[in-house]
Amino acid sequence: MITPSHRSNSRRNRTDGRNSAEDRRFQELASSLCEIGRNFYARGWALGTGGNYSAVASADPLQLVITPSGIEKGGMIPADILQINGAGEVERGKTRPSFECLIHLAIVRARGAAAILHTHSVWATVLSQAHGSEGGLAIEGYEMLKGLEGVRTHRHREWVPIIENSQDMPELAQTSEQLLAEHPAAHGFLLRGHGLYTWGQSVFEAKRHIEIFEFLFEVLGRTRALGYTTGPLS
């Protein structure tokens, strides 16, 4: 016969097991985001306090493990990392995320992404300004395009939409979500004069997308600086 105390202990053991699994998941994702922070800082893609990174800890209820605001991403440790819910409210951690967490949540809703990464590189900033009035830029003819999920040929034409930057984050998040609905094949987008957003079905895939885009942006920028204006650049 199971006594009330035994039932209580059984419930507590199940809860402890669930919490332990959640803690392990949080620590795993937090460590991954810190590693990405060091990597991207070293490569000049998110200097100062720029950039923010997140990963989905739970889809239902929606919970994101996310980097804090106002901190150098190259020096983060897991204790710095936060967890927020689907409304952007902090559930774990003592600081706060960037208000751009609303954009991360919008991307999760629009793409079902498992990780979202945002960088502030020189070339992304330059190209977003140069092509902002066109609403985006096209990249085609490069072998490195095959690093984007689902792309199988260098003949692929990747359209990278550009959104006007804003300090009104709820509005910017809504605009981002609308943009992704209008461009279902896009692997990322630029905020004008600001930086790149991309995502993936894992932290590794999102990191790979950052690397591919940043390579291609630098190729475009350097090629045009040399005065080359024909061929695969649009």
Side-chain angles (χ1 to χ4, degrees), residues 123 142 214-225 233:
W123 290 113
Y142 291 100
E214 293 292 357
F215 172 90
L216 292 167
F217 292 160
E218 185 168 352
V219 168
L220 264 63
R222 289 185 180 276
T223 301
R224 291 176 180 179
L233 306 182

Side-chain angles (χ1 to χ4, degrees), residues 12-87:
R12 183 166 58 252
N13 289 338
R14 287 197 299 271
T15 300
D16 289 346
R18 184 172 65 250
N19 289 343
S20 178
E22 290 172 357
D23 285 344
R24 286 195 300 271
R25 175 68 171 162
F26 177 87
Q27 291 299 328
E28 174 187 337
L29 294 175
S31 295
S32 295
L33 296 183
C34 289
E35 182 180 351
I36 283 173
R38 290 189 294 272
N39 184 298
F40 289 0
Y41 185 87
R43 298 167 92 164
W45 294 344
L47 298 177
T49 60
N52 40 75
Y53 319 126
S54 72
V56 175
S58 167
D60 186 19
L62 180 57
Q63 295 172 318
L64 288 188
V65 176
I66 193 166
T67 52
S69 180
I71 187 173
E72 181 187 288
K73 304 306 184 294
M76 293 185 303
I77 60 174
D80 295 322
I81 305 299
L82 311 172
Q83 183 169 294
I84 62 172
N85 61 22

Side-chain angles (χ1 to χ4, degrees), residues 107 110-112 149-151 156-161 176-189 199 201 209:
I107 293 171
R111 287 290 194 266
E149 188 65 23
V151 176
H156 170 76
R157 186 177 190 270
E158 181 73 16
W159 178 252
V160 185
S176 301
E177 196 163 357
Q178 291 171 348
L179 179 96
L180 294 175
E182 293 167 4
H183 300 280
H187 291 84
F189 63 87
W199 51 86
Q201 291 306 308
H209 286 171

Side-chain angles (χ1 to χ4, degrees), residues 79-149:
D80 295 322
I81 305 299
L82 311 172
Q83 183 169 294
I84 62 172
N85 61 22
E89 300 165 336
V90 175
E91 294 185 332
R92 182 169 184 159
K94 298 180 180 179
T95 57
R96 66 169 182 82
S98 164
F99 289 119
E100 289 180 52
C101 68
L102 299 179
I103 299 177
H104 290 243
L105 291 166
I107 293 171
V108 171
R109 289 191 293 266
R111 287 290 194 266
I116 300 94
L117 304 178
H118 170 50
T119 50
H120 287 194
S121 74
V122 171
W123 290 113
T125 303
V126 169
L127 291 173
S128 70
Q129 289 284 36
H131 293 270
S133 61
E134 302 161 32
L137 72 151
I139 310 173
E140 58 186 320
Y142 291 100
E143 185 72 9
M144 284 290 277
L145 284 163
K146 291 162 61 177
L148 299 176
E149 188 65 23

Side-chain angles (χ1 to χ4, degrees), residues 166-177:
S166 171
Q167 300 306 307
D168 185 337
M169 286 306 150
E171 180 182 8
L172 193 56
Q174 184 178 20
T175 300
S176 301
E177 196 163 357

